[in-house]
């Protein structure tokens, strides 16, 4: 099997399956082999139930033989961030707390994918409970950036990004609470998208911050991301925050000249000091490319941008402190063996089961909700969140899409920021506002810095306007031609 | 110095719904452990809650019955605390925007005797909110076991103002709650099954003082006698403390039913820092005027209103109405029967309360002699009360005597078709077969004889056989006529209409 | 974009710089956060080193959060959700329960189809 297979897109592989040039089992086996060959270097996979993957592929082959192929995703190996529930599969959240946990049920987005015949392959590494920006907070292993193995892949969905960038799976799912899809996509040189809050059901996504979390796709092209998004999106009565809306065939409707006549908003706050100059230059160049395609570029202001960090870290940690209370040593998690009584069981199980960053955020979140501090922190943060959302609403009255850098820098070295939590929080500075506003955001490659590492362009769209957002990205991608460059491992 | 107690209650009531509050698995009492769960109940990674509309509707319904204000917007909050029976380690509850605000519950205090209506007053409510129940812990010598079947059951918390002053008032309050809620079908309020539990706040203060004293809370009292005994004990204890100059502390105390005392539970410093915040997984609820109107349109009459109506419109005695008006089955049966035959509601009520309930009870206890069901408990007077006892509705629905047929029985007695004595036999037959009274009377030939010709023949025979009695009656001894009636009844094989027999005899004697 | 824009980064970087300067001296400071109390709320046992480290870091982070107090939020509605949607509910229909085997498959300790916990002393 030629190495090129690993970097083929969903539609091409689907056609190969249609033409019987390859069977789904062969395709799955090829990716299993690829994973076994390169993952010792990359470290994207926490586990992989290879026989389950081959079983799923066998089902596809049966369907193909019967002339009942379910669509483009049927037979395509899709990696899953280890925060997504699939019946019978491990779900560790990269935490010792859930080291041996196996999910007895399948979440809605994953059920949607199963019903389209996707072949689940692997449980991908992440920052513990999705808290982090470098994948270094995983309790189990480091994931390395396929473009430079000394660098982080970004986070929290670092394993999902690295696996796709390294050709270990065709595409993958991650989750994005403050940039956890877009930032690693940017640092690994692939496409990553956080859909509008409510487009994809969260039922089956272990919650970090409920009002911000969304499941989204990683892929090596905008079209593949569109196909995968179609595979997971849809209203779900099991998620009360899920929104009923029409979901078009995103991939079929992509248009290479969609930028023509559109207005691109460029928020000045995202281009100030602190953004790496090479990153800024490449993003500005990408925006210039869009202008050449007939788009109008206007400078806009999102005045409450610099409040995003406090608002985000108050809301996200408060929600997390409560969401993670269920990991307590009682019903299905790690249980301390040295506890004296039931209260001690909580203290010790949680002390042993959670890593440092998770503890820090739970403590912070408990504090901002505690008696006497609620109004000053949590309530106020919720109000400023409203202001941040209004900034975007106002901007979108006059522009069609907003473009910014995805990450202020390219991937940093492993270990570089682990001792400085605030510095780490910085990595998501360009992405968290989008979660606070609930809007769709997408990162796609827009070039390489002199250190050889990829740089991402972030496009932010109107709520539930995924189709246009994907189209703008597609137009840029087709014109700039960054996809097709892959790391050599 | 004289002291008075001030008491407020938080009563938890499980709602009678088919599924749990935030997920669609069923809830039921006494099922095998952990057989009524799903991923949401266990709070597995990734699960989310979804509101049960019926629970919201039922809570609004009760709120409207108690005259509460129903705010336009209500929401759910997380109450964060760790406990093994709470799978998420937060309870979904309502903090600052409950479903119902204010309102009041009419209560009746004991009258001078059982036949007399007692004084009525209204206990003020603070709020009613909707939350979820927790699982059940069973304690063993060295460990405890957790069953999550109960976890997630819809639970209303009805919070009263500190507006009661004695255990009698509290008893009356809980009785009124139970009567109203169970009549409306919102809950069976069976305390033995944990469907109704009370947290009690007690403080005492010198009479005349307007400021509240130091509040002591007793949680999770699961029988009415526990509530009563606990309150009485706590009032005595607090007054004694004040008299002896021992300062009271605001605390939670546990009621030890065996020892009959309350005991302090050393409070944890963080016990009350619940870190409430709006649940991001649930959307707030906007209650439209339309929804309110539709619920209002289906509200049932309040038990005390019904009782007053029965007493006024049907002239029923207090003791009968106090049984009938609180039970949906009985009152619906009664009203249905009265609709069929409106001339004698009293007789219908008597048949219903005395004969029919007795037969139903006998049948039920024969059927379920070994299976122990919630049969209530003895209160202090040794009287069986309605707590722990579900409605007669089901029994009445399966009863073979329909309301119309019971009315039919009363009617033929009133019409003189059969005697009250004969009616007893007819009733038993009706209960066993479900046939109408008329059909049974016809079948068994029980119809009273009203054939005047035959009666006159029997009467003349009787008069001829006992001239002495005829003479005595003529001489003014009215009772003497009774000696003539017996033989006539005998001759007619009991079918003679007693009134007609009397009339006929008088007529014939007068004629000479 | 030539003018000096008050971006997201500069102030933040300043705060960060200040953090590094302060961290060393902070251990002695009694911070704003009562770490014992909050760790107790969160039911996480912390050792002394963790307490010192978290106190210092969290005090800095909270200090940074103070900038929120400068914002005029008069009359602004708080956002608990990304969107204001109301009345998401379901009908009262029961669905089958999960099997006891599935329910208990991850249980760290079980007996008689229930979860074993150390004896609970009722502390309400």
């Amino acid at each position: 099997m030629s190495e090129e297979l690993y970097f083929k897109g969903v539609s091409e592989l689907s056609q190969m399956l249609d033409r019987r040039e390859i069977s789904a089992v062969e395709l799955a086996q090829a990716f299993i082999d690829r994973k076994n060959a390169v993952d010792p270097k990359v470290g994207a996979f926490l586990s992989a139930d290879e026989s389950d993957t081959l079983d799923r592929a066998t089902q596809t082959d049966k369907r193909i033989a019967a002339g009942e192929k379910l669509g483009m995703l049927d037979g395509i190996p899709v990696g899953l961030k280890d925060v997504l529930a699939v019946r019978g599969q491990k779900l560790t959240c990269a935490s010792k707390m859930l080291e041996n946990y196996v999910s007895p049920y399948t979440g809605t987005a994953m059920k949607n994918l199963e019903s389209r015949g996707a072949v689940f392959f692997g449980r991908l590494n992440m920052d513990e409970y999705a808290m982090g920006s470098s994948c270094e907070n995983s309790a189990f292993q480091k994931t390395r950036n396929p473009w430079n193995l000394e660098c982080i892949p970004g986070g929290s969905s670092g394993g999902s990004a690295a696996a796709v960038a390294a050709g270990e799976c065709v595409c993958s799912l991650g989750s994005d609470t403050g940039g956890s899809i877009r930032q690693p996509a940017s640092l690994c040189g692939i496409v990553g998208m956080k859909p509008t809050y409510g487009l994809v059901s969260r039922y089956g996504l272990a919650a970090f911050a409920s009002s911000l979390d969304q499941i989204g796709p990683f892929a090596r092209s905008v079209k593949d991301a569109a196909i995968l998004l179609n595979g997971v999106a849809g209203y779900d009565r099991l998620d009360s925050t899920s929104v009923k809306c029409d979901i078009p065939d995103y991939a079929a409707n992509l248009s290479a000249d969609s930028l023509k006549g559109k207005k691109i908003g460029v928020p000045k706050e995202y281009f100030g000091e602190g953004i790496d100059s090479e990153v800024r230059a490449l993003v500005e160049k990408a925006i210039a490319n869009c202008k050449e395609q007939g788009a109008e570029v206007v400078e806009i202001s999102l005045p409450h941008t610099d409040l995003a960090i406090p608002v985000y870290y108050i809301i996200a940690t408060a929600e997390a402190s409560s969401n993670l209370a269920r990991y307590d040593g009682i019903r299905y998690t790690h249980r301390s063996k040295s506890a004296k009584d039931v209260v001690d069981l909580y203290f010790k199980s949680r002390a042993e089961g959670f890593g440092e960053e998770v503890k820090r955020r739970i403590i912070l979140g408990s504090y901002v909700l505690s008696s006497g501090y609620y109004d000053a922190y949590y309530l106020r943060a919720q109000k400023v969140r409203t202001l941040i959302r209004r900034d975007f609403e106002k901007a979108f009255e006059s522009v069609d899409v907003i473009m910014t850098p995805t990450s202020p820098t390219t991937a940093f070295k492993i270990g570089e920021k682990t001792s400085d939590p605030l510095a780490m929080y910085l990595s998501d500075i360009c992405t968290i506002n989008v979660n606070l506003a609930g809007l769709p955001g997408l990162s796609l490659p827009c070039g390489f810095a002199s250190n050889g590492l990829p740089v991402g362009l972030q496009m932010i769209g109107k709520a539930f306007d995924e189709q246009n957002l994907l189209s703008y990205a597609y137009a840029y991608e087709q014109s700039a031609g960054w996809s097709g460059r892959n790391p050599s491992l | 110095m004289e002291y008075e107690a001030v008491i407020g209650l938080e009563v938890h009531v499980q709602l009678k719904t088919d599924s749990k509050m935030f997920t669609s698995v069923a809830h039921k009492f006494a099922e095998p452990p952990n057989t009524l769960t799903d991923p949401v109940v266990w709070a597995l990674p990734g699960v989310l809650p979804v509101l049960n509309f019926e629970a919201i509707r039922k809570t609004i319904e009760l709120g409207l019955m108690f005259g509460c204000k129903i705010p336009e917007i209500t929401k759910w909050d997380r109450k964060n605390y760790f406990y093994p029976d709470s799978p998420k380690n937060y309870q979904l509850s309502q903090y600052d925007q409950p479903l119902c605000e204010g309102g009041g519950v009419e209560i009746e205090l004991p009258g001078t005797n059982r036949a007399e209506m007692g004084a009525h007053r209204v206990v003020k409510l603070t709020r009613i909110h909707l939350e979820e129940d927790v699982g059940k812990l069973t304690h063993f010598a060295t460990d405890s076991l957790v069953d999550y079947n109960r976890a997630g059951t819809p639970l209303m918390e009805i919070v009263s103002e500190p507006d009661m002053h004695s255990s009698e008032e509290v008893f009356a309050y809980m009785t009124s709650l139970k009567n109203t809620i169970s009549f409306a079908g919102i809950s069976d309020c069976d305390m033995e099954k944990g469907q109704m539990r009370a947290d009690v706040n007690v403080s005492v203060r010198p009479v005349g003082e307007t400021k509240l004293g130091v509040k002591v809370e007793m949680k999770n009292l699961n029988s009415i006698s526990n509530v009563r005994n606990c309150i009485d004990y706590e009032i005595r204890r607090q007054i004694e403390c004040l008299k002896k100059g021992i300062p009271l502390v605001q605390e939670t105390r546990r009621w030890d039913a065996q020892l009959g005392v309350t005991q302090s539970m050393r409070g944890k410093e963080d016990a009350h820092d619940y870190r409430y915040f709006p649940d991001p997984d649930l959307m707030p609820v906007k209650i439209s005027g339309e929804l309110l109107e539709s619920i209002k349109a289906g509200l049932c009459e309040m038990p005390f209103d019904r009782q007053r109506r029965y007493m006024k419109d049907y002239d029923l005695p207090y003791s009968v109405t106090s049984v009938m008006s609180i039970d949906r089955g009985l009152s619906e049966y009664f009203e249905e029967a009265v609709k069929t035959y409106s001339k004698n509601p009293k007789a219908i009520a008597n048949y219903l309360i005395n004969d029919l309930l007795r037969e139903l009870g006998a049948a039920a206890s024969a059927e379920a002699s070994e299976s122990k069901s919630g049969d209530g408990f003895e209160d202090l007077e040794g009287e069986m009360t309605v707590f722990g006892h579900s409605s007669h509705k089901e029994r009445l629905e399966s009863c073979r005597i329909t309301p119309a047929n019971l009315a039919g029985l009363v009617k033929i007695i009133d019409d003189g078709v059969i005697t009250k004595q004969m009616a007893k036999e007819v009733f038993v037959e009706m209960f066993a077969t479900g046939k109408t009274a008329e059909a049974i009377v016809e079948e068994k030939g029980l119809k009273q004889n009203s054939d005047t010709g035959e009666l006159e023949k029997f009467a003349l025979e009787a008069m001829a056989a006992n001239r002495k009695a005829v003479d005595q009656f003529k001489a003014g001894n009215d009772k003497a006529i009774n000696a003539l009636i017996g033989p006539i009844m005998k001759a007619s094989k009991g079918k003679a209409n007693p009134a007609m027999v009397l009339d006929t005899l008088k007529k014939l004697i007068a004629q000479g | 974009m030539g003018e000096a824009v008050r971006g997201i980064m500069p102030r933040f970087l300043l705060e960060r710089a200040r953090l590094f300067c302060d961290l060393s001296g902070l251990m002695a400071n009694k911070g704003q956060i009562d770490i014992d109390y909050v760790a107790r709320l969160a039911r996480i046992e912390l050792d002394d080193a963790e307490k010192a480290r978290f106190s210092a870091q969290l005090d800095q982070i909270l200090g940074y959060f103070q900038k929120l107090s400068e914002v005029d939020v008069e009359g602004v509605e708080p956002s608990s959700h990304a969107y204001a949607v109301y009345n998401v509910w379901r009908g009262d229909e029961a669905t089958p329960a999960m099997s006891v085997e599935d329910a208990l498959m991850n249980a760290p300790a079980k007996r008689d189809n229930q979860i074993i916990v150390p004896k609970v002393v009722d502390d309400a």
Side-chain angles (χ1 to χ4, degrees), chain B residues 17-20 23-24 33-35 37-39 42 50-54 82-83 140-141 143-147 254 268 270 273 275 278-280 282-286, chain C residues 37 40-43 80-81 83 85-100 103-104 111-124:
Chain B
T17 54
D18 291 337
S19 62
K20 291 190 176 181
T23 187
S24 54
N34 292 316
T35 54
T37 73
D38 66 8
W42 285 90
V50 184
L51 289 165
N52 181 344
F53 173 70
E54 182 60 14
F82 284 81
Y83 210 72
F140 296 89
D143 57 19
S144 302
L145 295 181
V146 203
D147 168 18
R254 177 184 27 225
K268 298 262 171 3
D270 56 16
D273 196 342
R275 290 156 286 140
D279 182 39
L282 290 171
M283 292 304 190
V285 165
K286 211 179 247 178
Chain C
Y37 175 76
R40 182 161 179 84
L41 280 182
R43 294 287 190 273
S80 294
H81 301 88
Y83 304 105
V85 176
Y86 295 90
N87 298 2
V88 183
W89 53 45
R90 63 181 171 83
D92 182 27
E93 282 129 36
T95 51
M98 79 194 288
S99 72
V100 181
L104 295 168
R111 185 174 76 232
D112 300 337
N113 287 336
Q114 298 187 64
I115 299 284
I116 302 175
V117 294
K119 185 160 177 153
V120 176
V121 184
D122 192 10
D123 68 349

Side-chain angles (χ1 to χ4, degrees), chain B residues 65-67 102-109 119-125 160-165 169 172-173 176 302 304-305 308:
Chain B
M65 290 173 79
F66 288 146
V105 179
E106 183 179 359
I107 65 168
E108 179 185 348
L109 295 162
H120 282 226
R121 64 166 287 236
V122 172
V123 173
K124 284 193 208 104
L125 290 182
S160 83
E161 292 284 290
D163 194 24
M164 287 167 274
H165 304 283
E169 279 193 329
Y173 171 73
S176 179
M302 296 295 280
F304 286 127
D305 291 340
R308 284 183 282 258

Side-chain angles (χ1 to χ4, degrees), chain A residues 306 356 360 386 420 438, chain C residues 11 20 53 57 77 79 83:
Chain A
D306 69 332
E356 168 125 353
R360 183 162 36 237
T386 305
D420 181 359
Chain C
R11 280 171 110 194
F20 280 121
R53 195 164 63 244
Q57 289 168 339
E77 279 293 307
S79 296
Y83 304 105

Side-chain angles (χ1 to χ4, degrees), chain A residues 4 10 26 45 102 149 166 193 214 221 282 289 297 325 351 370 384 411 415 419 423-424 434 485 487:
Chain A
E4 261 175 50
V10 173
E26 285 167 340
F45 284 67
V102 174
L149 296 175
M193 183 177 192
Q214 269 290 287
S221 69
L282 284 167
N289 172 297
V297 176
S370 67
V384 179
S419 61
M424 192 69 88
V434 181
R485 276 178 74 166

